[in-house]
Every structure is written in structure tokens, then in C-alpha cells.
Coordinates of all heavy atoms in Angstrom, one line a residue:
M1014 N 8.1 24.0 -12.9 CA 7.0 24.9 -13.2 C 7.0 26.0 -12.2 O 7.1 25.8 -11.0 CB 5.7 24.2 -13.2 CG 4.5 25.0 -13.2 SD 2.9 24.1 -13.0 CE 2.9 23.3 -14.6
V1015 N 7.0 27.3 -12.6 CA 6.9 28.4 -11.8 C 5.7 29.2 -12.1 O 5.4 29.4 -13.3 CB 8.2 29.3 -12.0 CG1 8.1 30.5 -11.0 CG2 9.4 28.5 -11.7
L1016 N 4.9 29.6 -11.1 CA 3.7 30.4 -11.3 C 3.7 31.7 -10.6 O 4.3 31.8 -9.6 CB 2.5 29.6 -10.7 CG 2.3 28.2 -11.2 CD1 2.7 27.2 -10.1 CD2 0.8 28.0 -11.5
T1017 N 3.1 32.7 -11.3 CA 2.8 34.0 -10.6 C 1.3 34.2 -10.6 O 0.7 33.7 -11.6 CB 3.5 35.2 -11.2 OG1 3.1 35.3 -12.6 CG2 5.1 35.0 -11.2
C1018 N 0.8 34.9 -9.6 CA -0.6 35.0 -9.6 C -1.0 36.4 -9.1 O -0.5 36.8 -8.0 CB -1.2 34.0 -8.6 SG -3.0 33.9 -8.6
S1019 N -1.8 37.1 -9.8 CA -2.2 38.5 -9.4 C -3.4 38.5 -8.5 O -3.7 39.5 -7.8 CB -2.5 39.3 -10.7 OG -3.5 38.8 -11.4
D1020 N -4.2 37.4 -8.4 CA -5.3 37.3 -7.5 C -4.8 36.9 -6.2 O -4.4 35.7 -6.0 CB -6.3 36.3 -8.1 CG -7.6 36.1 -7.3 OD1 -7.5 36.3 -6.0 OD2 -8.6 35.8 -7.8
P1021 N -5.0 37.7 -5.1 CA -4.4 37.3 -3.8 C -5.1 36.1 -3.2 O -4.4 35.3 -2.5 CB -4.6 38.6 -3.0 CG -5.6 39.5 -3.7 CD -5.5 39.0 -5.1
V1022 N -6.4 35.9 -3.4 CA -7.0 34.7 -2.9 C -6.5 33.5 -3.5 O -6.2 32.5 -2.9 CB -8.6 34.9 -3.0 CG1 -9.3 33.6 -2.6 CG2 -9.1 36.1 -2.2
L1023 N -6.5 33.5 -4.9 CA -6.0 32.3 -5.6 C -4.5 32.0 -5.2 O -4.1 30.9 -5.0 CB -6.1 32.5 -7.1 CG -5.5 31.4 -8.0 CD1 -6.2 30.0 -7.6 CD2 -5.7 31.7 -9.4
K1024 N -3.7 33.1 -5.1 CA -2.3 32.9 -4.8 C -2.2 32.3 -3.4 O -1.4 31.4 -3.2 CB -1.6 34.3 -4.8 CG -0.2 34.2 -4.5 CD 0.5 35.6 -4.6 CE 2.0 35.6 -4.4 NZ 2.6 36.9 -4.5
S1025 N -3.0 32.7 -2.4 CA -3.0 32.2 -1.1 C -3.3 30.7 -1.1 O -2.7 29.9 -0.4 CB -4.0 32.9 -0.2 OG -4.0 32.4 1.1
H1026 N -4.3 30.3 -1.9 CA -4.7 28.9 -2.0 C -3.6 28.1 -2.6 O -3.3 27.0 -2.1 CB -6.0 28.7 -2.9 CG -7.3 29.1 -2.2 ND1 -7.7 28.6 -1.0 CD2 -8.2 30.0 -2.6 CE1 -8.8 29.2 -0.6 NE2 -9.1 30.1 -1.6
L1027 N -3.0 28.6 -3.7 CA -1.9 27.8 -4.3 C -0.7 27.7 -3.3 O -0.1 26.6 -3.2 CB -1.4 28.5 -5.6 CG -2.4 28.5 -6.7 CD1 -1.9 29.4 -7.8 CD2 -2.7 27.1 -7.2
Q1028 N -0.4 28.8 -2.6 CA 0.7 28.7 -1.7 C 0.4 27.8 -0.5 O 1.3 27.2 0.1 CB 1.1 30.1 -1.2 CG 1.7 31.0 -2.2 CD 1.9 32.4 -1.7 OE1 1.1 33.0 -1.0 NE2 3.1 33.0 -2.2
S1029 N -0.8 27.7 -0.1 CA -1.2 26.8 1.0 C -0.9 25.3 0.7 O -0.8 24.5 1.7 CB -2.7 27.0 1.4 OG -3.5 26.4 0.4
L1030 N -0.8 25.0 -0.5 CA -0.5 23.6 -0.9 C 1.0 23.2 -0.6 O 1.4 22.1 -0.6 CB -0.8 23.3 -2.3 CG -2.3 23.4 -2.7 CD1 -2.6 23.3 -4.2 CD2 -3.1 22.3 -1.9
G1031 N 1.8 24.2 -0.5 CA 3.2 24.0 -0.2 C 3.9 23.1 -1.1 O 3.8 23.2 -2.3
D1032 N 4.6 22.1 -0.5 CA 5.3 21.1 -1.3 C 4.4 20.1 -2.1 O 4.9 19.3 -2.9 CB 6.2 20.2 -0.4 CG 7.3 21.0 0.2 OD1 7.7 22.1 -0.3 OD2 7.9 20.5 1.3
R1033 N 3.1 20.2 -1.9 CA 2.2 19.4 -2.7 C 1.6 20.0 -3.9 O 0.8 19.5 -4.6 CB 1.1 18.8 -1.8 CG 1.7 17.9 -0.7 CD 0.5 17.4 0.2 NE 1.1 16.6 1.3 CZ 1.1 15.3 1.2 NH1 0.7 14.6 0.2 NH2 1.6 14.6 2.3
L1034 N 2.0 21.3 -4.2 CA 1.5 22.0 -5.3 C 1.7 21.3 -6.6 O 0.8 21.3 -7.5 CB 2.1 23.4 -5.3 CG 1.7 24.3 -6.5 CD1 0.2 24.7 -6.4 CD2 2.5 25.6 -6.5
H1035 N 2.8 20.7 -6.7 CA 3.1 20.0 -8.0 C 2.1 18.9 -8.4 O 1.9 18.6 -9.5 CB 4.5 19.5 -8.1 CG 4.8 18.4 -7.1 ND1 4.8 17.1 -7.5 CD2 5.1 18.4 -5.8 CE1 5.1 16.3 -6.5 NE2 5.3 17.1 -5.4
Y1036 N 1.5 18.3 -7.4 CA 0.5 17.2 -7.6 C -0.8 17.8 -8.3 O -1.4 17.2 -9.2 CB 0.0 16.5 -6.4 CG 1.1 15.8 -5.7 CD1 1.6 16.1 -4.4 CD2 1.8 14.7 -6.4 CE1 2.6 15.4 -3.8 CE2 2.8 14.0 -5.8 CZ 3.2 14.4 -4.5 OH 4.2 13.7 -3.9
L1037 N -1.1 19.1 -8.0 CA -2.3 19.7 -8.7 C -2.0 19.8 -10.2 O -3.0 19.7 -11.0 CB -2.5 21.1 -8.1 CG -3.6 22.0 -8.6 CD1 -4.9 21.3 -8.4 CD2 -3.5 23.4 -8.0
F1038 N -0.8 20.1 -10.6 CA -0.5 20.3 -12.0 C 0.1 19.0 -12.7 O 0.5 19.1 -13.8 CB 0.5 21.4 -12.1 CG -0.1 22.7 -11.7 CD1 0.2 23.3 -10.5 CD2 -1.0 23.4 -12.5 CE1 -0.3 24.5 -10.0 CE2 -1.6 24.6 -12.1 CZ -1.2 25.1 -10.8
I1039 N 0.1 17.9 -11.9 CA 0.7 16.7 -12.4 C 2.1 16.9 -13.0 O 2.4 16.7 -14.1 CB -0.2 16.0 -13.4 CG1 -1.6 15.9 -12.9 CG2 0.3 14.6 -13.8 CD1 -2.6 15.3 -13.9
A1040 N 2.9 17.6 -12.2 CA 4.3 17.9 -12.5 C 5.2 17.5 -11.5 O 4.8 17.2 -10.3 CB 4.4 19.4 -12.7
S1041 N 6.5 17.4 -11.8 CA 7.5 17.0 -10.8 C 7.7 18.1 -9.7 O 8.0 17.8 -8.6 CB 8.8 16.6 -11.5 OG 8.6 15.4 -12.2
Q1042 N 7.7 19.3 -10.2 CA 8.0 20.4 -9.2 C 7.1 21.6 -9.7 O 6.9 21.8 -10.8 CB 9.5 20.8 -9.3 CG 10.3 19.7 -8.8 CD 11.8 19.8 -9.2 OE1 12.2 20.7 -9.9 NE2 12.6 18.8 -8.8
A1043 N 6.7 22.4 -8.7 CA 5.9 23.6 -8.9 C 6.1 24.5 -7.7 O 6.1 24.1 -6.6 CB 4.4 23.3 -9.1
V1044 N 6.2 25.8 -8.0 CA 6.4 26.8 -7.0 C 5.7 28.1 -7.4 O 5.6 28.4 -8.6 CB 7.9 27.0 -6.7 CG1 8.6 27.6 -7.9 CG2 8.1 27.9 -5.5
V1045 N 5.1 28.8 -6.4 CA 4.6 30.1 -6.7 C 5.7 31.2 -6.4 O 6.3 31.1 -5.3 CB 3.3 30.4 -5.8 CG1 2.8 31.8 -6.0 CG2 2.3 29.3 -6.0
A1046 N 5.9 32.1 -7.3 CA 6.9 33.1 -7.2 C 6.4 34.5 -7.5 O 5.3 34.6 -8.0 CB 8.1 32.7 -8.1
E1047 N 7.2 35.5 -7.2 CA 6.8 36.8 -7.5 C 7.0 37.2 -8.9 O 6.3 38.0 -9.5 CB 7.6 37.8 -6.6 CG 7.2 37.7 -5.1 CD 5.7 37.9 -4.8 OE1 5.2 38.9 -5.4 OE2 5.2 37.1 -4.0
T1048 N 8.1 36.6 -9.5 CA 8.4 36.9 -10.9 C 8.7 35.5 -11.6 O 9.1 34.6 -11.0 CB 9.6 37.8 -11.1 OG1 10.7 37.2 -10.5 CG2 9.4 39.1 -10.5
L1049 N 8.5 35.5 -12.9 CA 8.8 34.3 -13.7 C 10.2 34.3 -14.2 O 10.7 35.4 -14.6 CB 7.9 34.2 -14.9 CG 6.4 33.9 -14.6 CD1 5.7 33.8 -16.0 CD2 6.2 32.6 -13.8
P1050 N 10.9 33.2 -14.2 CA 12.2 33.1 -14.8 C 12.1 33.1 -16.4 O 11.0 32.8 -16.9 CB 12.8 31.8 -14.3 CG 11.6 30.9 -14.0 CD 10.5 31.9 -13.6
E1051 N 13.2 33.3 -17.1 CA 13.2 33.2 -18.5 C 12.9 31.7 -18.9 O 13.5 30.8 -18.3 CB 14.5 33.6 -19.1 CG 14.7 35.1 -19.0 CD 13.7 35.9 -19.9 OE1 13.5 35.4 -21.0 OE2 13.3 36.9 -19.4
S1052 N 12.0 31.5 -19.8 CA 11.7 30.2 -20.3 C 11.0 30.3 -21.7 O 10.2 31.2 -21.9 CB 10.7 29.5 -19.4 OG 10.2 28.3 -20.0
P1053 N 11.3 29.4 -22.6 CA 10.7 29.5 -23.9 C 9.2 29.0 -23.8 O 8.4 29.1 -24.7 CB 11.5 28.6 -24.8 CG 12.2 27.7 -23.9 CD 12.4 28.5 -22.6
Y1054 N 8.9 28.4 -22.7 CA 7.6 27.8 -22.5 C 6.8 28.6 -21.4 O 6.9 28.3 -20.2 CB 7.7 26.3 -22.1 CG 8.5 25.5 -23.0 CD1 9.8 25.1 -22.7 CD2 8.1 25.2 -24.3 CE1 10.6 24.4 -23.6 CE2 8.9 24.5 -25.2 CZ 10.2 24.1 -24.8 OH 11.0 23.5 -25.7
Q1055 N 6.1 29.6 -21.8 CA 5.3 30.4 -20.9 C 3.9 30.6 -21.4 O 3.7 30.5 -22.6 CB 6.0 31.8 -20.8 CG 7.3 31.8 -20.1 CD 7.8 33.2 -19.7 OE1 7.0 34.1 -19.7 NE2 9.0 33.3 -19.4
M1056 N 3.0 30.8 -20.5 CA 1.6 31.1 -20.9 C 1.0 32.0 -19.8 O 1.5 32.0 -18.7 CB 0.8 29.8 -21.1 CG 0.5 29.0 -19.8 SD -0.7 27.8 -20.0 CE -2.2 28.7 -20.0
A1057 N 0.0 32.7 -20.2 CA -0.7 33.6 -19.3 C -2.2 33.5 -19.4 O -2.7 33.3 -20.5 CB -0.3 35.1 -19.6
G1058 N -2.8 33.5 -18.2 CA -4.3 33.5 -18.2 C -4.7 34.8 -17.5 O -3.9 35.8 -17.4
E1059 N -6.0 34.9 -17.1 CA -6.5 36.1 -16.6 C -5.7 36.6 -15.3 O -5.4 37.8 -15.2 CB -8.0 35.9 -16.3 CG -8.7 37.2 -15.8 CD -10.1 37.0 -15.7 OE1 -10.7 36.2 -16.4 OE2 -10.7 37.7 -14.8
N1060 N -5.5 35.7 -14.4 CA -4.8 36.0 -13.1 C -3.6 35.2 -12.8 O -3.0 35.3 -11.7 CB -5.8 35.8 -12.0 CG -7.0 36.7 -12.0 OD1 -6.8 37.9 -12.2 ND2 -8.2 36.2 -11.8
I1061 N -3.1 34.5 -13.8 CA -2.0 33.6 -13.5 C -1.1 33.5 -14.8 O -1.5 33.6 -15.9 CB -2.5 32.1 -13.2 CG1 -1.4 31.3 -12.5 CG2 -3.1 31.4 -14.3 CD1 -1.9 30.1 -11.8
R1062 N 0.2 33.4 -14.5 CA 1.2 33.2 -15.5 C 2.1 32.0 -15.1 O 2.3 31.8 -13.9 CB 2.1 34.5 -15.6 CG 1.3 35.7 -16.2 CD 2.1 37.0 -16.2 NE 3.3 36.8 -17.1 CZ 4.5 37.2 -16.7 NH1 4.7 37.9 -15.6 NH2 5.6 37.0 -17.5
V1063 N 2.5 31.3 -16.1 CA 3.2 30.0 -15.9 C 4.4 30.0 -16.8 O 4.3 30.3 -18.0 CB 2.3 28.8 -16.1 CG1 3.1 27.5 -15.9 CG2 1.1 28.8 -15.3
A1064 N 5.5 29.5 -16.2 CA 6.8 29.2 -17.0 C 7.1 27.8 -16.7 O 7.1 27.4 -15.5 CB 7.9 30.2 -16.6
V1065 N 7.4 27.0 -17.7 CA 7.8 25.6 -17.5 C 9.3 25.5 -17.8 O 9.8 26.0 -18.7 CB 7.0 24.7 -18.5 CG1 7.4 23.3 -18.4 CG2 5.5 24.9 -18.3
L1066 N 9.9 24.9 -16.8 CA 11.4 24.6 -16.8 C 11.7 23.2 -16.6 O 10.8 22.5 -16.0 CB 12.0 25.5 -15.7 CG 11.8 26.9 -15.7 CD1 12.2 27.5 -14.4 CD2 12.6 27.6 -16.8
P1067 N 12.8 22.7 -17.0 CA 13.2 21.3 -16.6 C 13.2 21.1 -15.1 O 13.7 22.0 -14.4 CB 14.6 21.1 -17.2 CG 14.7 22.2 -18.3 CD 13.8 23.3 -17.8
A1068 N 12.7 20.0 -14.6 CA 12.7 19.8 -13.2 C 14.1 19.4 -12.7 O 15.0 18.9 -13.5 CB 11.8 18.6 -12.9
E1069 N 14.4 19.7 -11.5 CA 15.7 19.4 -10.9 C 15.6 17.9 -10.4 O 14.6 17.4 -10.0 CB 15.9 20.3 -9.7 CG 16.1 21.7 -10.0 CD 16.2 22.6 -8.8 OE1 16.2 22.1 -7.7 OE2 16.4 23.8 -9.0
G1070 N 16.8 17.3 -10.4 CA 16.9 16.0 -9.8 C 16.9 14.9 -10.9 O 17.2 15.1 -12.1
T1071 N 16.7 13.7 -10.4 CA 16.7 12.5 -11.2 C 15.3 11.9 -11.3 O 14.6 12.0 -10.3 CB 17.7 11.5 -10.6 OG1 19.0 12.1 -10.5 CG2 17.9 10.2 -11.4
K1072 N 15.0 11.2 -12.3 CA 13.7 10.5 -12.5 C 13.6 9.3 -11.6 O 14.4 8.4 -11.7 CB 13.5 10.2 -14.0 CG 12.1 9.6 -14.3 CD 12.1 9.4 -15.8 CE 10.8 8.7 -16.2 NZ 10.8 8.6 -17.7
C1073 N 12.5 9.2 -10.8 CA 12.2 8.0 -10.0 C 11.7 7.0 -11.0 O 10.8 7.2 -11.8 CB 11.2 8.4 -9.0 SG 10.6 7.0 -8.0
V1074 N 12.2 5.7 -10.8 CA 11.8 4.7 -11.7 C 10.4 4.2 -11.4 O 9.7 3.5 -12.2 CB 12.8 3.5 -11.8 CG1 14.1 3.9 -12.3 CG2 12.9 2.8 -10.4
R1075 N 9.9 4.5 -10.2 CA 8.5 4.0 -9.8 C 7.4 5.0 -10.2 O 6.4 4.6 -10.8 CB 8.5 3.7 -8.3 CG 7.2 3.1 -7.9 CD 7.3 2.7 -6.4 NE 6.0 2.2 -5.9 CZ 5.1 2.9 -5.3 NH1 5.3 4.2 -5.0 NH2 4.0 2.4 -4.9
C1076 N 7.6 6.2 -9.9 CA 6.5 7.2 -10.1 C 6.8 8.2 -11.3 O 5.9 8.9 -11.7 CB 6.2 8.0 -8.9 SG 7.5 9.2 -8.4
W1077 N 8.0 8.2 -11.8 CA 8.5 9.0 -12.9 C 8.6 10.5 -12.6 O 8.8 11.3 -13.4 CB 7.6 8.8 -14.1 CG 7.8 7.4 -14.8 CD1 8.3 6.3 -14.2 CD2 7.5 7.1 -16.1 NE1 8.3 5.3 -15.1 CE2 7.8 5.7 -16.3 CE3 6.9 7.8 -17.2 CZ2 7.6 5.1 -17.5 CZ3 6.7 7.2 -18.4 CH2 7.0 5.8 -18.5
H1078 N 8.4 10.9 -11.3 CA 8.7 12.2 -10.9 C 10.2 12.5 -10.8 O 10.9 11.6 -10.4 CB 8.0 12.6 -9.6 CG 6.6 12.9 -9.6 ND1 5.7 12.7 -8.6 CD2 5.8 13.4 -10.6 CE1 4.5 13.0 -8.9 NE2 4.5 13.4 -10.2
Y1079 N 10.6 13.7 -11.2 CA 12.0 14.1 -11.0 C 12.1 14.7 -9.6 O 11.3 15.5 -9.2 CB 12.4 15.1 -12.1 CG 12.6 14.5 -13.4 CD1 11.6 14.1 -14.3 CD2 13.9 14.1 -13.8 CE1 11.8 13.6 -15.5 CE2 14.1 13.6 -15.1 CZ 13.1 13.3 -15.9 OH 13.3 12.7 -17.1
S1080 N 13.1 14.2 -8.9 CA 13.3 14.7 -7.5 C 14.8 14.7 -7.2 O 15.5 13.8 -7.5 CB 12.6 13.8 -6.5 OG 12.9 14.1 -5.2
P1081 N 15.2 15.7 -6.4 CA 16.6 15.7 -6.0 C 16.9 14.6 -4.9 O 18.0 14.3 -4.6 CB 16.8 17.1 -5.3 CG 15.7 17.9 -5.9 CD 14.6 17.0 -6.2
Q1082 N 15.8 14.0 -4.4 CA 15.9 13.0 -3.3 C 16.1 11.6 -3.9 O 16.3 10.7 -3.1 CB 14.7 13.0 -2.5 CG 14.4 14.4 -1.8 CD 15.6 14.8 -0.9 OE1 16.1 14.0 -0.1 NE2 16.0 16.0 -1.0
V1083 N 16.0 11.4 -5.2 CA 16.2 10.1 -5.8 C 17.6 9.7 -5.4 O 18.6 10.4 -5.7 CB 16.0 10.1 -7.3 CG1 16.4 8.8 -7.9 CG2 14.5 10.3 -7.6
G1084 N 17.8 8.5 -4.9 CA 19.1 7.9 -4.6 C 19.6 8.2 -3.2 O 20.6 7.7 -2.8
H1085 N 18.8 8.9 -2.3 CA 19.2 9.2 -1.0 C 19.1 8.0 -0.1 O 19.6 7.9 1.0 CB 18.5 10.4 -0.4 CG 19.1 11.7 -0.9 ND1 18.3 12.7 -1.2 CD2 20.4 12.0 -1.1 CE1 19.1 13.7 -1.6 NE2 20.4 13.3 -1.5
D1086 N 18.3 7.0 -0.5 CA 18.1 5.8 0.3 C 18.9 4.7 -0.3 O 18.6 4.2 -1.5 CB 16.6 5.4 0.4 CG 16.4 4.2 1.3 OD1 17.2 3.2 1.3 OD2 15.3 4.2 2.0
A1087 N 20.0 4.2 0.3 CA 20.9 3.2 -0.2 C 20.1 1.9 -0.6 O 20.5 1.2 -1.5 CB 22.0 2.9 0.7
E1088 N 19.1 1.6 0.2 CA 18.3 0.4 -0.1 C 17.5 0.5 -1.4 O 17.2 -0.5 -2.0 CB 17.3 0.1 1.1 CG 17.6 -1.2 1.8 CD 16.6 -1.4 2.9 OE1 16.8 -0.8 4.0 OE2 15.6 -2.1 2.6
H1089 N 17.1 1.7 -1.7 CA 16.3 1.9 -2.9 C 16.9 3.1 -3.7 O 16.4 4.2 -3.7 CB 14.9 2.2 -2.5 CG 14.2 1.2 -1.7 ND1 13.9 0.0 -2.2 CD2 13.9 1.1 -0.4 CE1 13.3 -0.8 -1.3 NE2 13.4 -0.1 -0.2
P1090 N 18.1 2.9 -4.3 CA 18.8 4.0 -5.0 C 18.1 4.7 -6.2 O 18.5 5.7 -6.6 CB 20.1 3.4 -5.4 CG 19.8 1.9 -5.5 CD 18.7 1.6 -4.5
H1091 N 17.1 4.0 -6.7 CA 16.4 4.6 -7.9 C 15.0 5.2 -7.6 O 14.3 5.5 -8.5 CB 16.3 3.5 -9.0 CG 17.6 2.9 -9.3 ND1 18.6 3.7 -10.0 CD2 18.2 1.7 -9.1 CE1 19.7 2.9 -10.2 NE2 19.4 1.7 -9.6
L1092 N 14.7 5.3 -6.3 CA 13.4 5.8 -5.9 C 13.5 7.1 -5.2 O 14.5 7.4 -4.5 CB 12.7 4.8 -4.9 CG 12.5 3.4 -5.4 CD1 11.8 2.5 -4.4 CD2 11.7 3.4 -6.7
C1093 N 12.4 7.9 -5.3 CA 12.3 9.2 -4.6 C 11.8 8.9 -3.1 O 11.5 7.8 -2.8 CB 11.3 10.1 -5.3 SG 9.6 9.5 -5.2
E1094 N 11.8 9.9 -2.3 CA 11.5 9.8 -0.9 C 10.0 9.3 -0.7 O 9.7 8.5 0.1 CB 11.7 11.1 -0.1 CG 10.8 12.2 -0.5 CD 11.2 13.0 -1.8 OE1 12.0 12.5 -2.6 OE2 10.6 14.0 -2.0
R1095 N 9.1 9.7 -1.6 CA 7.7 9.3 -1.5 C 7.6 7.8 -1.8 O 6.9 7.1 -1.1 CB 6.9 10.2 -2.5 CG 5.4 9.9 -2.5 CD 4.7 10.9 -3.3 NE 3.3 10.5 -3.5 CZ 2.7 10.2 -4.7 NH1 3.4 10.4 -5.8 NH2 1.5 9.9 -4.7
C1096 N 8.2 7.3 -2.9 CA 8.1 5.9 -3.2 C 8.9 5.0 -2.2 O 8.4 3.9 -1.9 CB 8.7 5.7 -4.6 SG 7.6 6.4 -5.9
T1097 N 9.9 5.5 -1.7 CA 10.7 4.8 -0.6 C 9.7 4.5 0.6 O 9.7 3.4 1.1 CB 12.0 5.5 -0.2 OG1 12.8 5.6 -1.4 CG2 12.7 4.7 0.9
A1098 N 9.0 5.6 1.0 CA 8.1 5.5 2.1 C 7.0 4.5 1.7 O 6.5 3.7 2.6 CB 7.6 6.9 2.4
A1099 N 6.4 4.6 0.5 CA 5.3 3.7 0.1 C 5.8 2.3 0.1 O 5.0 1.4 0.6 CB 4.9 4.1 -1.3
I1100 N 6.9 2.0 -0.3 CA 7.4 0.6 -0.3 C 7.6 0.1 1.1 O 7.4 -1.1 1.4 CB 8.7 0.5 -1.2 CG1 8.3 0.6 -2.7 CG2 9.5 -0.8 -0.9 CD1 9.4 0.5 -3.6
A1101 N 8.0 1.0 2.0 CA 8.2 0.6 3.4 C 6.9 0.5 4.1 O 6.9 0.2 5.3 CB 9.2 1.6 4.0
G1102 N 5.8 0.9 3.5 CA 4.5 0.8 4.1 C 4.2 2.0 5.0 O 3.3 1.9 5.9
Q1103 N 5.0 3.0 4.8 CA 4.8 4.3 5.6 C 4.0 5.3 4.8 O 4.0 5.3 3.6 CB 6.2 4.9 6.0 CG 7.1 3.9 6.7 CD 8.5 4.5 6.8 OE1 8.8 5.4 6.1 NE2 9.3 3.8 7.6
E1104 N 3.3 6.1 5.6 CA 2.6 7.2 4.9 C 3.6 8.4 4.7 O 4.3 8.8 5.6 CB 1.4 7.7 5.8 CG 0.6 8.7 5.1 CD -0.7 9.0 5.9 OE1 -1.3 8.1 6.5 OE2 -1.0 10.2 5.9
F1105 N 3.6 8.9 3.5 CA 4.5 10.1 3.2 C 3.8 11.3 3.6 O 2.6 11.6 3.2 CB 4.8 10.1 1.7 CG 5.7 11.2 1.3 CD1 7.1 11.1 1.6 CD2 5.3 12.3 0.6 CE1 8.0 12.1 1.3 CE2 6.2 13.3 0.2 CZ 7.5 13.2 0.6
A1106 N 4.4 12.1 4.4 CA 3.8 13.4 4.9 C 3.9 14.5 3.9 O 4.7 14.6 3.1 CB 4.6 13.8 6.2

């Protein structure tokens, strides 16, 4: 998911979420950009435009998020970094 925002205050709030922005939209990936990529799935609101694209990476079998990090832990080859940390009892930053 790629978003553009014409409201500077809203844009700042969205950008402040950083890597956690996708949780707000219940999506695997989300980013605020200056322009939208081509996508057949686009919508526009008063101050925001959204383009939906296929997520990068592989689907985590535990949380179902798509992540390029799935498989980086040999002990848990089907989990993303967040789920690997959760199973290890660690807090994910």
C-alpha cells in the first residue's frame, strides 16, 4: 500500500509511524510517498490518495503478513521477524 497526503499535519503523523504504519491499515506493508505508482486499485479522499499493490516477500504462517524477512531465521523458516521474536519471548521493536 502506498499513500500520498496533501495535508502536511496528517502526512507528518502517518510518517511518524515509520515501519509500523502498516498496522494502522491492517496491511502487510504501507509507505507514505510523494507520488503513487501505477495500480488498478486506487482511491482518493479529501487529503489522501491510496494505491494498493501486492506486498513484497513471503507469507508468514503465524500472522499471515507478507514480509521479505520470512525465512531469515533457520530455526523458524516460515516465520517473519516479528513472530520469531514473539516465539522467543522477546519484544519486537
Side-chain angles (χ1 to χ4, degrees):
M1014 166 183 289
V1015 181
L1016 304 104
T1017 62
C1018 187
S1019 61
D1020 179 330
V1022 174
L1023 177 57
K1024 183 176 182 177
S1025 177
H1026 286 303
L1027 293 171
Q1028 289 175 324
S1029 74
L1030 294 172
D1032 291 342
R1033 296 182 182 264
L1034 178 63
H1035 67 99
Y1036 295 120
L1037 178 65
F1038 296 102
I1039 311 174
S1041 292
Q1042 297 160 358
V1044 64
V1045 178
E1047 294 301 318
T1048 59
L1049 290 182
E1051 288 295 318
S1052 170
Y1054 308 105
Q1055 293 190 15
M1056 67 168 285
E1059 187 174 327
N1060 294 314
I1061 196 164
R1062 293 177 58 223
V1063 178
V1065 179
L1066 303 165
E1069 296 175 358
T1071 305
K1072 184 177 176 180
C1073 173
V1074 298
R1075 184 173 179 265
C1076 70
W1077 290 20
H1078 278 154
Y1079 284 81
S1080 170
Q1082 301 300 315
V1083 171
H1085 280 140
D1086 186 319
E1088 241 181 279
H1089 304 287
H1091 303 291
L1092 300 182
C1093 67
E1094 68 281 12
R1095 182 172 171 240
C1096 289
T1097 300
I1100 286 178
Q1103 302 166 351
E1104 186 174 320
F1105 183 72

